[in-house]
Amino acid sequence: MRPAFITALTLLLLWTLVSQINHALSGLHVYLFAGSLFVTFAALKLPLRSGLAASLFGGLLFDSTTPVTFGTHFLLFAAAHTMIFHLRDRIPRDDTIARLIVVLLTNLAIYLLFSFMQISRSPAPAAAWPRLIADLVCSQVFLAVIAPWFFALQLRALQLARADRELAA
């Protein structure tokens, strides 16, 4: 379970960074959602059990600071992890472009599912969609820029902890 622990530590770092960036962008009324980064590396590189543990930890981090029913992100991240894990044999896992595409598609899916689940709570659902779409576009651009760096950080953290030998082949 060492790879799961090291990956969870990198997710804690990412969660902190994204939270601080969102705080800085709050004056511009922009929210960046980077949920797929909490799932993709673990689903593509780690064995099922340890990867799922790391992804679920990321879901709990999101749930701890979001005003929604506790467990919402937990379940969304579990579903995304499982889906990517079962498709990973068809994906070139060491190719940065392929991983980036997986991150962007997964983020789109999680964001839209989450938005559709929560839009009914809005007093004016139709008026919320332009803002949600703008946030999604900003999030996707942010992910395209930060994902390669974060994947390299996660891999290097596993190497430094000598947990990279336990990665799935």
Side-chain angles (χ1 to χ4, degrees):
M1 290 301 276
R2 190 175 0 168
F5 179 71
I6 299 301
T7 303
L9 288 177
T10 62
L11 295 179
L12 183 61
L13 173 67
L14 177 66
W15 176 75
T16 304
L17 291 173
V18 172
S19 296
Q20 291 302 311
I21 291 169
N22 278 329
H23 178 71
L25 293 174
S26 65
L28 299 173
H29 303 287
V30 175
Y31 176 78
L32 299 177
F33 180 77
S36 64
L37 275 182
F38 288 79
V39 175
T40 306
F41 181 84
L44 290 176
K45 290 288 192 180
L46 301 180
L48 179 62
R49 186 181 234 173
S50 59
L52 188 59
S55 294
L56 294 178
F57 174 75
L60 290 176
L61 282 174
F62 266 74
D63 281 336
S64 68
T65 59
T66 314
V68 295
T69 305
F70 195 76
T72 302
H73 290 96
F74 184 85
L75 292 175
L76 285 173
F77 286 14
H81 179 92
T82 305
M83 194 169 221
I84 294 170
F85 185 83
H86 287 297
L87 293 174
R88 77 182 191 169
D89 292 333
R90 297 181 181 106
I91 300 168
R93 293 184 267 171
D94 294 326
D95 182 33
T96 304
I97 300 297
R99 286 188 291 192
L100 185 58
I101 290 170
V102 171
V103 164
L104 293 174
L105 290 175
T106 304
N107 202 62
L108 175 68
I110 293 172
Y111 188 86
L112 289 177
L113 280 171
F114 182 77
S115 296
F116 279 115
M117 289 169 48
Q118 300 300 318
I119 197 72
S120 63
R121 296 179 180 198
S122 174
W129 282 109
R131 161 81 192 273
L132 291 173
I133 292 170
D135 286 348
L136 176 63
V137 169
C138 292
S139 298
Q140 297 293 77
V141 170
F142 174 72
L143 285 174
V145 171
I146 200 171
W149 167 79
F150 189 64
F151 286 143
L153 174 79
Q154 287 181 304
L155 190 57
R156 186 64 181 145
L158 288 171
Q159 290 169 347
L160 287 173
R162 296 192 175 125
D164 58 333
R165 288 173 252 162
E166 300 174 36
L167 294 179

